[in-house]
Amino acid sequence: KETEATAELDNRGMLQLQQQVMQQQDQELEQMEKTVISTKHIALTIGEEVDLHTRLLEEMEEDVDVTHSRLRAATKRVRHVLKHSSNWKGGLCIFSLIVVLTLVLLVAFKIIRLFH
């Protein structure tokens, strides 16, 4: 179908126009190729970054798991120490009271002896 651009052209003119259109399409395709290649490089770089971050997150997850296990063990030890230390403190308190009571009784006996 003829357009205004082709209506007044002879065969040579049509051939030149066709060559110009093809050159323009080639230039546009080259530009598209550059854009696709650039986009490919960007996508590859993003993929490498994603892989790196995935590895870092996996290592961080392992570290968090280890830290969580250590924290759980430390909490268990602290509970154990608190449980036993409260018994120890109670025992120390009873022992101290016995010592004080013994001292009071000794003082009382000495005072009784003094008055007899």
Side-chain angles (χ1 to χ4, degrees), residues 25-62:
Q25 287 176 344
D26 285 345
Q27 289 173 351
E28 290 172 359
L29 283 173
E30 286 174 8
Q31 186 61 36
M32 284 178 64
E33 180 184 24
K34 290 177 184 177
T35 302
V36 168
I37 289 171
S38 174
T39 303
K40 176 186 173 186
H41 290 308
I42 291 170
L44 290 172
T45 302
I46 290 172
E48 290 171 0
E49 283 290 320
V50 168
D51 290 343
L52 173 64
H53 286 271
T54 300
R55 283 193 308 272
L56 290 173
L57 286 172
E58 287 171 353
E59 290 173 9
M60 185 175 175
E61 181 182 18
E62 291 172 10

Side-chain angles (χ1 to χ4, degrees), residues 12-28:
R12 255 188 197 176
M14 288 290 286
L15 183 61
Q16 285 179 344
L17 179 63
Q18 186 179 20
Q19 287 175 345
Q20 287 174 352
V21 168
M22 287 175 59
Q23 279 181 334
Q24 183 180 359
Q25 287 176 344
D26 285 345
Q27 289 173 351
E28 290 172 359

